Amino acid sequence: MLNYKTNYGRQFFLLLETVFYKQKIFRQLFAVVLGMVFIVTSFSPAQAHLQRRHVCDAYAQTKAVIIIEPRRVFKDREHFFKVMAMDKNFAVAYTRCIGRAVDRFSLVQSGFRLQEGRDELNKFVLKLHAPLFEVTKQPISLTNTYNSVHSFAAILAGTSKKEVRYSDHTVMFRSFSGNILLIPRQEYISIYDFAKKASFAEIVDLWRQTGLIAKELKTANKPFTFATHAGTASGQTVPHFHLRFEMEK
């Protein structure tokens, strides 16, 4: 026999007994609420973001070549661009992987060239090609603040006479050499800077435009290679991030 110290305690216990033991509907509702709490705490946005981060592995193929291997198999470059354009979460997570790989292999000081390639199993991957010599001073450094004085400034401002194509976050145009360049409209020095700081929408739009350009070039039967330079030692000449579609001759 329970010993109730007050009449209020007895009334409270009887109420609980009535609700949870005699009313089936309340028991079912209570079980649903507990289930929802369990699901939310088990699959929180923070944990989901943490899982999306693990979409690639980075390892050194040689002393100067770092492979950023996605944890999904791409048959070829066309398949890669298609997935990057359609799977927004993967595109953002894989772009972030590039920034982490640069940090992990200490390529910030030397710079690098990011380009398409194949791994040992002939799977499509992106590769970081680092310079074979150490650079202590660079006109274009990946750690400096953004310098808005460069040859793309008029294009970004909309005052250039070049034929350009704008999207929400990017600008596409042809260089003097005939290559197609795709640049973000915001101020990023390199793809390293972009991978670290760009918003979800900016990254998604960049890869969507990349896929459209690749599709157009394939339709026009114009072979190309896909790359971007980061840092003077690796060939970057304009201190604003740009993807290059280099036409094969």
Side-chain angles (χ1 to χ4, degrees), residues 36-249:
M36 292 179 63
V37 171
F38 175 77
I39 292 174
V40 171
T41 55
S42 299
F43 303 99
S44 65
Q47 290 181 337
H49 176 68
L50 183 64
Q51 292 172 3
R52 287 199 299 269
R53 286 181 57 186
H54 300 294
V55 298
C56 76
D57 296 308
Y59 59 90
Q61 187 178 40
T62 66
K63 185 177 181 181
V65 178
I66 309 301
I67 289 183
I68 307 177
E69 183 176 22
R71 292 188 177 179
R72 60 192 301 175
V73 178
F74 295 110
K75 297 178 293 184
D76 48 31
R77 179 175 61 193
E78 182 180 358
H79 184 206
F80 171 76
F81 285 140
K82 183 177 180 180
V83 171
M84 293 293 278
M86 296 181 62
D87 191 336
K88 298 179 180 180
N89 288 331
F90 178 82
V92 173
Y94 192 57
T95 303
R96 304 291 190 209
C97 281
I98 296 173
R100 292 197 300 274
V102 173
D103 285 330
R104 177 182 174 186
F105 291 93
S106 304
L107 300 179
V108 177
Q109 296 300 323
S110 62
F112 57 89
R113 171 184 167 93
L114 177 73
Q115 65 183 51
E116 60 187 82
R118 296 277 176 175
D119 65 3
E120 291 84 351
L121 300 178
N122 200 36
K123 294 188 297 183
F124 181 90
V125 295
L126 293 183
K127 292 186 176 183
L128 298 173
H129 289 257
L132 294 176
F133 54 90
E134 183 178 356
V135 179
T136 56
K137 294 182 180 180
Q138 300 183 58
I140 300 177
S141 172
L142 307 188
T143 56
N144 286 353
T145 57
Y146 182 86
N147 183 0
S148 59
V149 181
H150 52 73
S151 58
F152 294 167
I155 296 173
L156 292 169
T159 59
S160 173
K161 295 182 180 180
K162 281 181 173 291
E163 183 179 350
V164 298
R165 185 172 75 193
Y166 293 93
S167 71
D168 291 340
H169 301 284
T170 66
V171 184
M172 186 271 286
F173 59 96
R174 285 189 178 273
S175 65
F176 291 110
S177 60
N179 297 322
I180 294 178
L181 302 185
L182 182 66
I183 65 176
R185 300 176 72 168
Q186 299 301 316
E187 298 179 346
Y188 300 106
I189 298 174
S190 64
I191 193 170
Y192 172 73
D193 195 24
F194 182 80
K196 288 285 189 176
K197 302 175 183 177
S199 66
F200 189 97
E202 288 176 301
I203 295 176
V204 168
D205 188 50
L206 180 85
W207 287 111
R208 186 171 65 87
Q209 297 303 319
T210 300
L212 291 176
I213 295 172
K215 186 177 181 180
E216 291 169 3
L217 292 176
K218 181 182 179 181
T219 302
N221 194 25
K222 294 182 178 180
F224 68 93
T225 57
F226 170 75
T228 183
H229 301 267
T232 302
S234 293
Q236 186 177 5
T237 57
V238 181
H240 185 94
F241 166 43
H242 48 287
L243 292 176
R244 300 174 61 89
F245 295 81
E246 300 175 353
M247 303 299 107
E248 295 183 357
K249 299 179 181 179

Side-chain angles (χ1 to χ4, degrees), residues 17-44:
E17 182 183 27
T18 302
V19 171
F20 292 104
Y21 290 91
K22 295 183 179 180
Q23 300 296 328
K24 183 178 180 181
I25 182 66
F26 286 104
R27 292 201 305 271
Q28 293 175 342
L29 180 62
F30 184 67
V32 170
V33 172
L34 284 180
M36 292 179 63
V37 171
F38 175 77
I39 292 174
V40 171
T41 55
S42 299
F43 303 99
S44 65

